[in-house]
Amino acid sequence: MQWRIGVGMAFSFICCRFAYKNADLVNTQPSMHMDIFSLTPQFLLLGIMKGLSERGLQSFYRSLLSESLRDYRTPFGECVMGIGKFLSTLCILIFKSWFGHDTDSSRMDNYYTILTILSFACFLIYWVALAHCYGDAPQEVDCEQPIEHKTV
C-alpha cells in the first residue's frame, strides 16, 4: 500500500514535467499549438497516478481504521484528494497573473514549474515520513498497528 502511494506520487511529478514541457513548447514556439498527441503522455501518467494513489489511500485507511470505521475509507480518501484540489485552486488564485485568455497569452510553463516543485517536495516528504515509520530504529509510534477505539 505504501509503495502504491509513493509510485503514484512519482507519476504525479513526472506528469507535471510532461505538462511543463508541453507548455514550454507552446511558449517558445507560438505558431505551434497543442494537439491530442502531445497531451496523451500527460493524461496517461495522470490516470496511472490517480489509480495508484486512490487505491493506495483506500488500502492505507483500511489498515489503520477500526472495523466500525472501515466503511468511511472512501470518504477519508476523498477528503485527502479534496485538500489537494483546494491547494491547487489556491495556487491558481495566487498566480492568476500567469493565466491569460488563451494559451499564447498565458505563462503555463511557470505554473507547471511550481506544480513540479510542489509535487517533488511532497514526494520527498512522503518518503521521509515512510522511512520514519518503517525504518530500522525503534519508534515510539507503531505505524502498522490499527488505531483501537474505545467505546464508552
Side-chain angles (χ1 to χ4, degrees):
M1 116 187 100
Q2 292 86 7
W3 289 102
R4 193 178 282 170
I5 296 171
V7 171
M9 292 178 84
F11 273 103
S12 172
F13 168 73
I14 296 167
C15 180
C16 288
R17 285 295 296 162
F18 269 96
Y20 165 78
K21 287 292 186 185
N22 282 336
D24 189 45
L25 188 63
V26 169
N27 282 339
T28 56
Q29 299 173 1
S31 62
M32 176 141 187
H33 292 285
M34 283 191 258
D35 61 349
I36 189 72
F37 299 112
S38 65
L39 295 175
T40 301
Q42 178 182 341
F43 284 108
L44 284 173
L45 290 169
L46 186 64
I48 293 169
M49 180 270 308
K50 185 173 171 140
L52 287 171
S53 297
E54 285 179 356
R55 292 292 220 116
L57 278 173
Q58 286 183 0
S59 298
F60 176 72
Y61 285 124
R62 187 179 331 122
S63 70
L64 287 180
L65 296 174
S66 66
E67 194 66 39
S68 63
L69 293 174
R70 291 232 171 128
D71 291 337
Y72 295 106
R73 68 179 183 252
T74 302
F76 287 147
E78 290 294 323
C79 180
V80 170
M81 295 295 200
I83 290 170
K85 290 174 184 176
F86 173 75
L87 292 176
S88 179
T89 303
L90 191 63
C91 284
I92 290 171
L93 290 175
I94 290 171
F95 302 112
K96 64 183 171 187
S97 64
W98 291 342
F99 298 95
H101 295 290
D102 57 3
T103 56
D104 294 331
S105 64
S106 298
R107 292 300 306 194
M108 293 301 292
D109 57 334
N110 292 342
Y111 179 68
Y112 286 128
T113 300
I114 295 293
L115 286 183
T116 303
I117 292 168
L118 286 174
S119 60
F120 186 71
C122 289
F123 178 71
L124 288 179
I125 291 168
Y126 175 77
W127 284 108
V128 167
L130 191 67
H132 175 74
C133 287
Y134 295 102
D136 294 332
Q139 304 294 325
E140 292 180 23
V141 178
D142 188 6
C143 297
E144 292 181 350
Q145 294 296 322
I147 299 171
E148 296 294 328
H149 298 282
K150 296 182 180 179
T151 55
V152 180

